[in-house]
């Protein structure tokens, strides 16, 4: 019987635990989580706050009971305080305040991430909130619905900041999005793809402030009243600080960490520098195929995949991740963009010499009547040296999200732009055009 302890039971820990319980015989599994809920889908937070869904009930897909029915021992509201790597034990403070020591053969760290703080004056004022846990979602929703909350400022223009800005505008708040970058979603998309969403936000009444650094939160009677930047000041009754996440790496001091982010550095098996300790999800790096290196790509999808691979390895198999491309998508006021791998801006940041090809066309033939037929824009980014595809972006008001998965696989399998040009893509007027935009983009890169 292998004794496995999983620390953290959100997406990564849940995936690892379910994989072990469903697939590995002779496993003695104990799960510790300091929170009181399991598997919260943060992706539903903005939809719930913006009243696009009426209840938060569906935002969980697993529970303590599910794990216990499958034979695990589950301790909620129980924080792991330290690891003794020599003795192979963990020290835990249980829900009743008592402290125990537990032993393991294999340990899986799934301790996740926490919101980055900007460490500026006024951060302790009331009504400055973050968006991470279900508890945060409930608090932000409760405060946001109060009548006296007129002005909401969202700081940070990543996915979560952008989604929350839309949510607050939808419930009638004067909403301002402040970001130090020169475009929204700057870590993921080139401006050609993010701009239509930015324009839609402005058209819907959101004030977008680009290129400004937040320096101070101002307040009166202990409550926030304004956000002060290096260039201006914006009234605020509620502030959501959404400037990114940092990995929780408080445990296992001796374990190797990623230079850039401090996340647990793992190999393709999700083993840390201690072969009996795995690290998965937001607390760890993951093999990022476009740069052929371990990077920090904090996404629920990666948490799930890393959880599955690490659990099977901890259970005695020998499995490597094929890597990830950081694929993601976004919809704002009906504008949809999806991406995988690197944008041009990202490639420039990493110093990779690339070329790209763009194409824009209607999804279906122009003769089609009485059907939704929107324009679709595609950009494919490929390496200049060996012409391997390392990124793609798609944008439309039409749901073209399924198309991006092919590009993700193309990056994973080292497909070149020349090979893509000859890929068999079917034609049928209900779905696409005889000269579809993916083939056309690739062919124009090959033939000019
Ligand atoms: C608002 C929001 C929207 C998002 N939308 C998307 C999306 O649309 N698509 C997507 O792919 N990703 C999305 N993400 C990112 C995704 O939620 C994270 O990547 C994912 O939660 C990571 O899962 P995790 O289990 O690794 O870490 P976490 O979710 O951070 O969970 C870590 C767990 O470990 C527990 N823990 C930590 N330390 C200890 C300890 N010492 N002892 C015991 N327990 C401990 C915590 O209580 C927690 O339950 C979103 C995130 C947020 C906040």
């Amino acid at each position: 019987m292998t004794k496995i302890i999983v620390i953290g039971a959100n997406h990564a820990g849940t995936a690892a635990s379910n994989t072990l319980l469903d697939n590995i015989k002779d496993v003695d599994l104990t799960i510790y989580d300091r929170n009181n809920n399991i598997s919260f889908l943060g992706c539903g937070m903005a939809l719930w706050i913006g009243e696009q869904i009426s209840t938060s009930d569906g935002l969980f897909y697993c529970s303590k009971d599910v794990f216990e029915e499958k034979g695990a021992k589950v301790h909620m509201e129980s924080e792991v305080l330290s690891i003794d790597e020599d003795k192979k034990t963990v020290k835990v403070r249980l829900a009743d305040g008592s402290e125990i020591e537990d032993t393991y053969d294999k340990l899986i760290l799934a301790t996740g991430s926490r919101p980055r703080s900007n460490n500026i004056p006024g951060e302790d004022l009331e009504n400055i909130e973050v968006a991470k846990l279900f508890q945060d979602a409930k608090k932000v929703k409760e405060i946001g619905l109060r009548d006296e909350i007129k002005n909401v400022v969202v700081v940070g223009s990543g996915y979560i900041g952008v989604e929350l800005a839309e949510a607050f505008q939808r419930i009638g708040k004067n909403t301002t999005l402040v970001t130090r970058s020169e475009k929204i979603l700057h870590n993921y998309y080139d401006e050609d793809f993010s701009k239509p969403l930015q324009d839609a936000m402005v058209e819907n009444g959101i004030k977008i402030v680009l290129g400004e650094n937040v320096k101070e939160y101002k307040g009166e009677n202990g409550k926030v009243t304004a956000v002060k930047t290096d260039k201006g000041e914006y009234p605020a009754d509620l502030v959501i600080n959404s400037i990114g996440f940092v990995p929780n790496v408080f445990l296992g001091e001796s374990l190797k960490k990623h230079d850039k982010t401090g996340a647990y550095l793992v190999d393709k098996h999700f083993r840390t520098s201690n072969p009996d300790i795995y690290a998965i999800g937001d607390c760890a790096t993951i093999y990022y195929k476009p740069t052929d290196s371990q990077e920090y790509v904090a996404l629920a999808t990666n948490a799930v995949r890393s959880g599955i691979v690490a659990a099977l390895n901890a259970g005695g198999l020998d499995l490597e991740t094929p890597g990830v491309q950081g694929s993601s998508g976004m919809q704002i006021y009906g504008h949809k963009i999806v991406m995988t791998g690197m944008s041009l801006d990202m490639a420039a940041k990493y110093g990779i010499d690339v070329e790209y090809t763009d194409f824009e066309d209607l999804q279906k033939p122009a003769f089609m009547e009485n059907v939704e037929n929107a324009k679709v824009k595609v950009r494919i980014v490929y390496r200049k040296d060996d012409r391997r595809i390392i990124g793609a972006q798609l944008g439309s008001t039409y749901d073209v999200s399924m198309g991006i998965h092919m590009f993700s696989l193309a990056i994973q399998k080292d497909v070149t732009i020349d090979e893509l040009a000859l890929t068999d893509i079917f034609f049928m007027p209900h779905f696409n055009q005889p000269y579809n935009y993916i083939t056309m983009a690739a062919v124009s890169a090959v033939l000019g």
Side-chain angles (χ1 to χ4, degrees):
M1 194 68 115
T2 312
K3 176 125 198 271
I4 300 181
I5 291 179
V6 172
I7 307 175
N10 210 28
H11 302 302
T14 293
S17 300
N18 275 324
T19 303
L20 284 165
L21 295 167
D22 296 343
N23 299 284
I24 306 291
K25 283 194 187 119
D26 298 330
V27 66
D28 172 358
L29 177 64
T30 304
I31 301 165
Y32 294 104
D33 198 296
R34 64 185 178 197
N35 204 346
N36 60 11
N37 59 65
I38 285 174
S39 75
F40 171 56
L41 286 162
C43 55
M45 193 184 289
L47 295 169
W48 187 43
I49 291 168
E51 300 185 337
Q52 290 179 277
I53 58 173
S54 58
T55 161
S56 61
D57 292 351
L59 299 182
F60 300 89
Y61 58 87
C62 195
S63 67
K64 183 176 190 272
D65 293 348
V66 169
F67 289 141
E68 284 177 341
E69 274 162 30
K70 294 187 198 177
K73 293 184 263 308
V74 186
H75 300 270
M76 299 306 294
E77 296 176 71
S78 299
E79 178 160 18
V80 176
L81 303 172
S82 60
I83 304 168
D84 186 325
E85 290 182 53
D86 297 326
K87 284 175 26 196
K88 294 178 88 168
T89 59
V90 294
K91 192 163 129 193
V92 191
R93 186 169 47 232
L94 298 175
D96 64 6
S98 63
E99 288 186 11
I100 58 157
E101 207 169 68
D102 198 358
T103 58
Y104 64 83
D105 298 315
K106 302 281 178 196
L107 181 64
I108 300 181
L109 299 172
T111 50
S113 59
R114 63 189 185 285
R116 184 186 292 280
S117 149
N118 45 14
N119 287 319
I120 54 169
E123 249 189 342
D124 295 337
L125 287 165
E126 236 179 88
N127 295 350
I128 297 179
E129 304 296 335
V130 292
K132 167 74 184 174
L133 305 174
F134 179 53
Q135 289 89 329
D136 300 328
K138 278 198 291 193
K139 190 172 178 202
V140 167
K141 185 165 171 76
E142 187 274 311
I143 299 172
L145 284 176
R146 289 183 207 156
D147 285 342
E148 75 261 23
I149 303 293
K150 309 272 185 233
N151 299 306
V152 178
V153 176
V154 178
V155 180
S157 65
Y159 282 108
I160 295 167
V162 166
E163 281 179 344
L164 285 172
E166 181 189 8
F168 285 112
Q169 185 281 324
R170 280 183 183 273
I171 58 168
K173 305 295 171 182
N174 300 323
T175 307
T176 306
L177 181 73
V178 180
T179 180
R180 68 176 181 190
S181 58
E182 296 297 338
K183 60 175 191 207
I184 65 165
L185 300 167
H186 77 288
N187 277 334
Y188 317 95
Y189 294 92
D190 291 322
E191 194 166 9
D192 290 336
F193 289 80
S194 59
K195 190 72 172 34
L197 277 68
Q198 192 174 307
D199 292 344
M201 292 172 85
V202 173
E203 276 158 28
N204 280 279
I206 297 174
K207 182 180 170 77
I208 297 191
V209 179
L210 299 172
E212 296 196 18
N213 261 310
V214 175
K215 292 289 181 195
E216 186 185 346
Y217 297 120
K218 292 187 146 187
E220 270 171 35
N221 306 322
K223 285 188 180 168
V224 70
T225 54
V227 172
K228 192 170 183 307
T229 71
D230 48 359
K231 294 179 189 149
E233 193 169 304
Y234 307 94
D237 306 309
L238 171 63
V239 172
I240 310 295
N241 192 12
S242 180
I243 56 168
F245 293 89
V246 290
N248 287 328
V249 287
F250 301 114
L251 303 170
E253 276 166 28
S254 74
L255 299 176
K256 273 200 186 139
K257 311 285 179 347
H258 184 230
D259 284 348
K260 284 183 263 179
T261 59
Y264 295 117
L265 187 66
V266 295
D267 62 14
K268 287 184 182 173
H269 288 77
F270 295 98
R271 272 182 312 232
T272 63
S273 45
N274 178 334
D276 292 323
I277 303 181
Y278 295 82
I280 54 177
D282 276 15
C283 68
T285 60
I286 194 160
Y287 174 60
Y288 182 60
K289 178 70 183 166
T291 51
D292 189 24
S293 57
Q294 288 286 333
E295 299 293 340
Y296 187 61
V297 191
L299 284 170
T301 46
N302 295 345
V304 169
R305 271 189 291 270
S306 60
I308 292 170
V309 174
L312 293 175
N313 286 329
L317 277 76
D318 181 12
L319 206 72
E320 281 193 347
T321 171
V324 300
Q325 284 68 248
S327 311
S328 64
M330 168 105 282
Q331 170 170 322
I332 291 291
Y333 299 109
H335 291 265
K336 300 166 179 67
I337 46 176
V338 290
M339 59 77 74
T340 186
M342 295 200 146
S343 63
L344 289 179
D345 289 350
M346 283 166 76
K349 205 165 114 188
Y350 278 79
I352 302 175
D353 210 0
V354 294
E355 292 189 321
Y356 73 100
T357 174
D358 283 352
F359 202 81
E360 185 168 350
D361 203 355
L362 289 171
Q363 172 70 23
K364 298 168 196 161
F367 65 71
M368 290 298 282
E369 292 173 14
N370 304 319
V371 291
E372 187 190 354
N373 194 10
K375 274 194 173 166
V376 183
K377 187 159 64 179
V378 62
R379 169 166 297 166
I380 309 169
V381 178
Y382 53 99
R383 294 180 66 102
K384 212 169 186 173
D385 51 7
D386 56 15
R387 296 175 69 78
R388 274 185 300 139
I389 295 167
I390 60 162
Q393 297 159 79
L394 289 167
S396 184
T397 53
Y398 193 73
D399 181 0
V400 288
S401 58
M402 292 307 281
I404 207 71
H405 306 317
M406 181 192 70
F407 286 104
S408 176
L409 186 62
I411 300 170
Q412 183 181 313
K413 302 304 280 181
D414 292 319
V415 173
T416 64
I417 189 72
D418 312 283
E419 288 169 313
L420 180 70
L422 299 174
T423 297
D424 174 13
I425 294 177
F426 85 93
F427 157 60
M428 218 278 166
H430 297 286
F431 300 98
N432 62 359
Q433 300 232 40
Y435 292 87
N436 72 81
Y437 46 86
I438 293 174
T439 305
M440 291 308 289
V443 164
S444 70
V446 176
L447 301 179

